[in-house]
Amino acid sequence: MDLRRDVFQAIADPTRRAIITLLAVHAMTPGAIAAHFDSSRQTISKHIQILTECELLKQEQTGREIYYHLNPKKMKTIADFIEPFRNMWDDRFNKLEAVMKQYKTKK
C-alpha cells in the first residue's frame, strides 16, 4: 500500500518550510540544500524525503547529480485551499479597520 504523507503536516515543520523557500529560487542538490542548515545532511535528507513523498518536491537527475525543485501544481493546491481563509480574514480586517476609522472620527 502506497501511503502519502499529509502536505500540511509536511509544511508545519520550519526546516521544511525553509527548504521550500530555498527551492523557490532554483533547483538544488541535497548537498547544496544541506549547506544552508546547521543540521546534519542525514537530517536534511529526511526532510527532503518527506517533502518528496507528499509531492511538494520533484527530483530530476542531471548526470550524476539529483536536483530537487518545487512542484508548482502541489503548491497551487495548497494556495487554493488557503485562499478562502485569506479572503475571510481580509474581510474581517477591513471591517475592523472601518470600525476603527468611525471611532476615530467620532472622537
Side-chain angles (χ1 to χ4, degrees):
M1 176 164 45
D2 185 25
L3 295 176
R4 293 264 179 223
R5 292 183 186 267
D6 180 68
V7 69
F8 292 100
Q9 287 179 334
I11 63 173
D13 184 275
T15 300
R16 290 192 283 269
R17 288 194 308 270
I19 291 170
I20 289 169
T21 302
L22 282 172
L23 295 176
V25 177
H26 57 82
M28 299 174 81
T29 64
I33 295 168
H36 287 85
F37 298 92
D38 292 332
S39 304
S40 69
R41 279 185 84 163
Q42 185 177 14
T43 299
I44 298 304
S45 289
K46 183 66 177 171
H47 286 302
I48 292 170
Q49 177 187 358
I50 291 168
L51 291 168
T52 303
E53 286 175 4
C54 65
E55 300 177 341
L56 283 169
L57 301 185
K58 288 186 173 183
Q59 53 182 328
E60 181 179 311
Q61 186 144 2
T62 304
R64 295 188 318 172
E65 294 287 343
I66 295 176
Y67 286 86
Y68 287 91
H69 56 92
L70 287 181
N71 178 356
K73 288 182 183 177
K74 197 64 163 189
M75 296 300 291
K76 182 167 177 3
T77 301
I78 295 169
D80 290 347
F81 176 80
I82 293 172
E83 190 60 30
F85 299 101
R86 183 187 342 256
N87 292 337
M88 177 188 69
W89 282 106
D90 283 346
D91 183 51
R92 288 181 180 185
F93 283 124
N94 289 338
K95 287 178 181 176
L96 177 60
E97 183 179 29
V99 168
M100 291 173 69
K101 283 181 180 178
Q102 279 183 335
Y103 178 77
K104 204 175 200 181
T105 57
K106 288 182 180 179
K107 272 187 135 182

